Amino acid sequence: MEESRSLPTGFGELEVLAVGTLLLVEALAGLSLNSLTILSFCKTPELRTPSHLLLLSLALADSGISLNALIAATSSLLRRWPYGSNGCQAHGFQGFVTALASICSGAAIAWGRYHHYCTPLPLLGWGHYDYEPLGTCCTLDYSRGDRNFTSFLFTLASFNFLAPLFITVTSYRLMEQKLRKAGHLQVNTTLPARTLLLGWGPYALLYLYAAVADVTSISPKLQMVPAIIAKTVPTVNAINYGLGSGMVQRGIWQCLLPQRSRWDRTS
């Protein structure tokens, strides 16, 4: 919308005022109610449980939507968009992200409540957890191979492994193409996908085998290999994302050598 005081096409003065007023009421009501929810979490320690934290996530997301509506209401009452093209991009992005967060939080709450009230399964109601073969750590009990495990496995593989892997590979592939054309390829575009594939791929293969065959035919030592490999992922990520960032490196040096850091800033 152009930054002029002319009314939008197809809208009269009264209609613009009505839309702005409605958005303002919705924004203030949403901010007020969600602020109360957020405040209750700050004041009531008993609410800080995993299941209730989904409510906090939803309240924060909905507060973002209400804030987005407040900006829209202000613009409607002004009869123009006063924040320019960049402001429009930021407003649209913020509204889109908070809407997705609200949708996902609502779905998570619905799923958790369904299994809480309708099934006797543990935690969020899906899957069962047991010791690793070594007996010193726990993971999803893949030895059962029942319908509950199989449904959990394929959903987990689709949304928490294949989908993130696809997003990671695609994002870095597109980034590599663009940066290579510009001659500024300074980011390792292959390590994140390799880390995800090599770090969690063995677990995925073990779970897939457990869904179609008798996992007890695999030796306990071999069953422990995926767990050992997966526990290297945090170190690799720290090196890639943390130590690979110049800003993080400067922060680390400031913590280790504060005197030298102050001298560098004053010199």
Side-chain angles (χ1 to χ4, degrees):
M1 179 178 173
E2 295 181 356
E3 293 185 17
S4 63
R5 293 189 178 275
S6 60
L7 295 174
T9 304
F11 288 88
E13 182 80 19
L14 184 60
E15 293 170 331
V16 174
L17 179 62
V19 170
T21 303
L22 181 61
L23 287 172
L24 182 62
V25 172
E26 292 175 342
L28 294 178
L31 285 172
S32 300
L33 295 177
N34 283 290
S35 295
L36 290 176
T37 301
I38 296 170
L39 183 63
S40 67
F41 274 85
C42 297
K43 297 294 185 179
T44 310
E46 292 78 12
L47 288 176
R48 300 165 197 168
T49 62
S51 59
H52 286 109
L53 287 178
L54 290 174
L55 297 176
L56 178 60
S57 174
L58 183 63
L60 291 171
D62 288 343
S63 295
I65 296 176
S66 298
L67 181 61
N68 190 274
L70 182 61
I71 297 174
T74 303
S75 301
S76 298
L77 295 176
L78 291 174
R79 278 79 162 177
R80 65 187 181 91
W81 178 256
Y83 307 109
S85 178
N86 291 335
C88 182
Q89 296 296 315
H91 182 257
F93 176 77
Q94 187 268 346
F96 183 76
V97 170
T98 52
L100 289 181
S102 177
I103 292 170
C104 293
S105 297
I109 291 172
W111 184 258
R113 286 181 172 177
Y114 166 75
H115 282 288
H116 176 75
Y117 291 107
C118 302
T119 63
L121 298 177
L123 297 183
L124 290 179
W126 212 1
H128 181 269
Y129 303 94
D130 204 351
Y131 294 103
E132 294 270 18
L134 190 61
T136 58
C137 52
C138 300
T139 187
L140 181 69
D141 184 9
Y142 49 82
S143 63
R144 296 193 173 198
D146 54 13
R147 181 180 299 177
N148 184 7
F149 167 74
T150 303
S151 63
F152 181 84
L153 167 70
F154 285 104
T155 303
L156 182 72
S158 299
F159 292 99
N160 292 85
F161 183 72
L162 295 179
L165 180 62
F166 174 78
I167 293 172
T168 302
V169 171
T170 303
S171 299
Y172 281 102
R173 182 72 59 83
L174 295 175
M175 184 189 304
E176 180 181 7
Q177 293 176 357
K178 184 173 182 179
L179 294 178
R180 193 179 296 278
K181 289 180 180 179
H184 298 290
L185 185 58
Q186 300 177 348
V187 179
N188 191 328
T189 58
T190 60
L191 183 58
R194 289 178 179 177
T195 301
L196 180 59
L197 182 62
L198 298 178
W200 298 107
Y203 252 135
L205 292 176
L206 177 62
Y207 287 172
L208 180 62
Y209 184 86
V212 298
D214 184 11
V215 74
T216 58
S217 61
I218 302 177
S219 68
K221 291 181 180 180
L222 192 57
Q223 291 182 42
M224 283 299 301
V225 171
I228 296 173
I229 294 176
K231 287 175 174 57
T232 65
V233 173
T235 302
V236 176
N237 285 338
I239 295 173
N240 184 34
Y241 296 104
L243 299 180
S245 170
M247 183 174 296
V248 174
Q249 290 179 9
R250 289 192 294 270
I252 294 174
W253 281 114
Q254 289 176 9
C255 294
L256 296 177
L257 302 172
Q259 298 294 335
R260 177 181 176 182
S261 299
R262 284 194 292 268
W263 183 83
D264 289 340
R265 288 195 297 267
T266 57
S267 59

